[in-house]
Amino acid sequence: MLERLRARLIGSVLAWDLIATLFCLAVVIGANPAMMLRQWPLYGGVIVIWALVFIILAPHRALFTRTLLESVVRMLLSVLLAATSFAGLLYLINGNLVDRDHFLRFVALDLVAVSAIHLGFRTFTRWRQNYGGGRRVLVVGQANAAARLAEEFGRRPWTGVQIVGYASDEWEAPNTLPRLGELHDLVTIVQRHQIDEVIFALPPAQYDRVAELSLLLLREPVMLHTVPTALDLVFARTPVDSVGGIPLVSLRESALTPSQRIVKRLFDIVVSFGLIVLLAPLMLVIALLIKLESPGPVIFKQERIGEHGRRFQMFKFRSMYVDAEQRWHEVAKRDATTGKLIHKQKDDPRVTRVGRKLRRTSLDELPQLFNVLRGEMSLVGPRPEMPYIAAEYEPWQWQRFRVPPGMTGWWQVNGRSEKPMHLHTEDDLYYIQNYSFWLDLRILAKTLVVVWRGHGAY
């Protein structure tokens, strides 16, 4: 639990540091998009050097585990070492590529930008905990365990974790944390108090309830953890975190390891930010064409199911008439064999002329780059599902929500819309079970071929 939170924060800070460094370089040397394409070795060298130095010296980890002074010193040393390495590279390649004045301005500006990012993240994590904007956690079990966990998380403000109360079938002595209800009301408690994570702290005699309650929470967007016994720790096959000496075993952990999540998130932020900048003129033209053809908003927002069942608003260029949502029954039908809903078909009467071309080329999905930048989606992953389809999932199908949804994925490059909606989960589970960064790159490369040929897009 803690390692996953720390990895997510470290990955985010590292990604924004690299983006800020590239921006500082572009500002100092006065580059425009065309020049950046011609000078890609220069920018590529900065990315590689800064990433390697920052990963080795780990100023991001110090940001959340050390004092403010230690974290600032580690950050300054990292930037100066990266800048020195960059200067050596420039000397070996071409000493006149960036003159001394521009180089010094770049380093000074980068120090300011990286310092602002680090101080901003450190301030934000403390503000998030103090004002309840972080992870809301419910403890299921004994009040003393809940109080102890609340005390330990209070000492780690970077986690953003807030213990909001506990659920128990037994009344106990007055406690600093509120008792929110009994175990049979667990789903209602999670929904009413907007719980993000549940920690089971039941005594060994009630461990059969953990499996029962976990199944009840399967469709809720919550992470599940348990305080194990000594025997559980011996045979544990999932990551074990320790909070103040209290071990926590995750029951609903992400399929990605912390290192995989950092690499994936870093890649998503850098690539999505770059594509947004490069494709901004094209997106403006598309927006104008949509507006000229039919009334209504340019961007279509639709609720989808994301990682761990959390809901978010997915962005797309509007490719349908504004009343399409009310007319979904015109195209939605059930598969004759399985009875599952299929909501897409060719010659959809709700699609506009411009929208049909956008769908054929997949240009309607470009605004999802903003979802990727915000962390709600990834460039590669399972297709973000519609709530009414997920509501009919079998329990095993919910495993597809163990990773962030993607703009493209294993299903899209192996059939796209030609494959019935209810068969997507097998492809998604294959992707999750065989995940690697190289598989993501392979899927992205294959996506370009599939989109160019227009297979299965409508």
Side-chain angles (χ1 to χ4, degrees):
M1 179 182 183
L2 291 179
E3 187 60 34
R4 176 173 54 83
L5 287 168
R6 186 185 294 117
R8 184 180 300 170
L9 287 168
I10 290 173
S12 297
V13 178
L14 177 58
W16 283 112
D17 280 351
L18 294 181
I19 291 174
T21 299
L22 290 176
F23 179 77
C24 291
L25 181 61
V27 168
V28 169
I29 66 176
N32 54 45
M35 290 181 59
M36 291 175 67
L37 289 176
R38 291 196 299 269
Q39 296 177 337
W40 68 265
L42 182 65
Y43 290 90
V46 168
I47 281 287
V48 172
I49 291 173
W50 259 253
L52 287 177
V53 171
F54 276 46
I55 288 174
I56 292 172
L57 296 186
H60 313 83
R61 187 172 295 274
L63 179 64
F64 301 110
T65 58
R66 304 293 182 184
T67 65
L68 178 61
L69 179 60
E70 289 176 302
S71 63
V72 169
V73 171
R74 183 80 64 89
M75 181 269 300
L76 292 175
L77 289 175
S78 299
V79 173
L80 293 177
L81 178 58
T84 303
S85 303
F86 183 48
L89 178 65
L90 290 174
Y91 178 78
L92 292 175
I93 296 176
N94 185 347
N96 298 321
L97 192 60
V98 178
D99 62 49
R100 185 179 63 180
D101 290 340
H102 283 86
F103 177 79
L104 292 176
R105 278 198 293 251
F106 161 62
V107 175
L109 186 59
D110 190 49
L111 279 171
V112 173
V114 173
S115 299
I117 290 172
H118 282 228
L119 292 175
F121 266 91
R122 191 178 179 96
T123 302
F124 173 73
T125 54
R126 281 155 175 73
W127 174 86
R128 184 174 61 175
Q129 185 190 48
N130 294 335
Y131 294 94
R135 309 284 297 165
R136 295 175 59 81
V137 176
L138 172 74
V139 176
V140 177
Q142 300 172 336
N144 57 351
R148 184 177 173 189
L149 283 167
E151 179 182 355
E152 294 299 333
F153 277 116
R155 297 174 182 172
R156 297 162 175 81
W158 57 264
T159 64
V161 169
Q162 177 190 11
I163 305 292
V164 298
Y166 71 98
S168 175
D169 287 338
E170 301 178 0
W171 284 99
E172 301 186 42
N175 194 279
T176 55
L177 291 173
R179 178 178 177 270
L180 302 180
E182 300 181 355
L183 299 189
H184 65 83
D185 291 326
L186 189 56
V187 174
T188 303
I189 294 172
V190 167
Q191 294 172 344
R192 180 184 303 150
H193 295 277
Q194 299 178 329
I195 301 300
D196 298 305
E197 309 209 15
V198 172
I199 298 177
F200 292 103
L202 295 169
Q206 298 185 43
Y207 265 28
D208 57 330
R209 299 292 302 276
V210 174
E212 174 188 340
L213 295 171
S214 298
L215 289 175
L216 290 177
L217 294 173
L218 192 60
R219 295 191 176 186
E220 299 300 322
V222 293
M223 294 294 295
L224 306 179
H225 314 275
T226 184
V227 179
T229 64
L231 188 61
D232 293 328
L233 290 174
V234 173
F235 295 101
R237 296 179 62 90
T238 55
V240 179
D241 286 313
S242 180
V243 182
I246 304 175
L248 294 178
V249 174
S250 295
L251 304 177
R252 195 174 176 179
E253 190 56 270
S254 170
L256 304 178
T257 64
S259 59
Q260 287 175 330
R261 182 174 287 276
I262 289 175
V263 172
K264 188 177 180 69
R265 182 65 186 137
L266 177 61
F267 182 76
D268 283 342
I269 292 177
V270 173
V271 174
S272 62
F273 180 80
L275 288 175
I276 288 172
V277 173
L278 291 174
L279 299 175
L282 175 61
M283 288 193 278
L284 289 174
V285 171
I286 292 174
L288 180 61
L289 292 175
I290 294 172
K291 203 67 178 176
L292 290 175
E293 183 185 14
S294 63
V298 169
I299 299 297
F300 173 68
K301 300 178 183 179
Q302 190 175 57
E303 188 175 60
R304 295 295 179 99
I305 305 294
E307 188 179 13
H308 304 309
R310 300 189 186 98
R311 301 193 177 200
F312 69 98
Q313 295 293 318
M314 189 183 76
F315 306 139
K316 297 180 72 172
F317 280 123
R318 182 172 58 83
S319 60
M320 293 183 174
Y321 295 102
V322 290
D323 62 346
E325 284 285 282
Q326 290 73 39
R327 297 165 56 191
W328 71 271
H329 58 277
E330 295 181 21
V331 293
K333 61 181 180 179
R334 293 190 178 271
D335 185 84
T337 304
T338 64
K340 297 292 185 180
L341 277 173
I342 302 176
H343 80 291
K344 294 184 72 175
Q345 68 176 37
K346 294 181 178 179
D347 302 320
D348 190 327
R350 304 172 301 166
V351 180
T352 64
R353 286 192 311 253
V354 172
R356 202 170 300 281
K357 291 182 174 61
L358 292 177
R359 288 186 168 202
R360 179 62 60 180
T361 56
S362 295
L363 292 176
D364 63 317
E365 299 185 0
L366 287 181
Q368 291 172 29
L369 290 170
F370 291 96
N371 289 117
V372 175
L373 193 60
R374 289 166 54 162
E376 298 161 336
M377 293 177 62
S378 176
L379 291 171
V380 181
R383 188 66 178 167
E385 195 60 278
M386 295 183 180
Y388 75 88
I389 294 177
E392 299 192 4
Y393 271 5
E394 300 294 334
W396 65 271
Q397 290 178 297
W398 281 78
Q399 294 296 314
R400 72 190 297 274
F401 298 122
R402 294 177 62 203
V403 297
M407 290 182 65
T408 185
W410 191 248
W411 157 60
Q412 288 94 323
V413 300
N414 288 278
R416 302 181 79 190
S417 299
E418 292 171 352
K419 184 174 289 189
M421 181 66 70
H422 63 279
L423 295 182
H424 296 172
T425 48
E426 284 86 347
D427 291 324
D428 292 334
L429 294 182
Y430 173 85
Y431 168 77
I432 293 170
Q433 293 164 2
N434 295 275
Y435 174 77
S436 70
F437 178 68
W438 306 114
L439 179 60
D440 274 3
L441 295 181
R442 177 184 169 191
I443 290 172
L444 286 171
K446 196 170 181 180
T447 298
L448 296 176
V449 177
V450 172
V451 170
W452 178 262
R453 295 176 178 175
H455 289 325
Y458 50 80

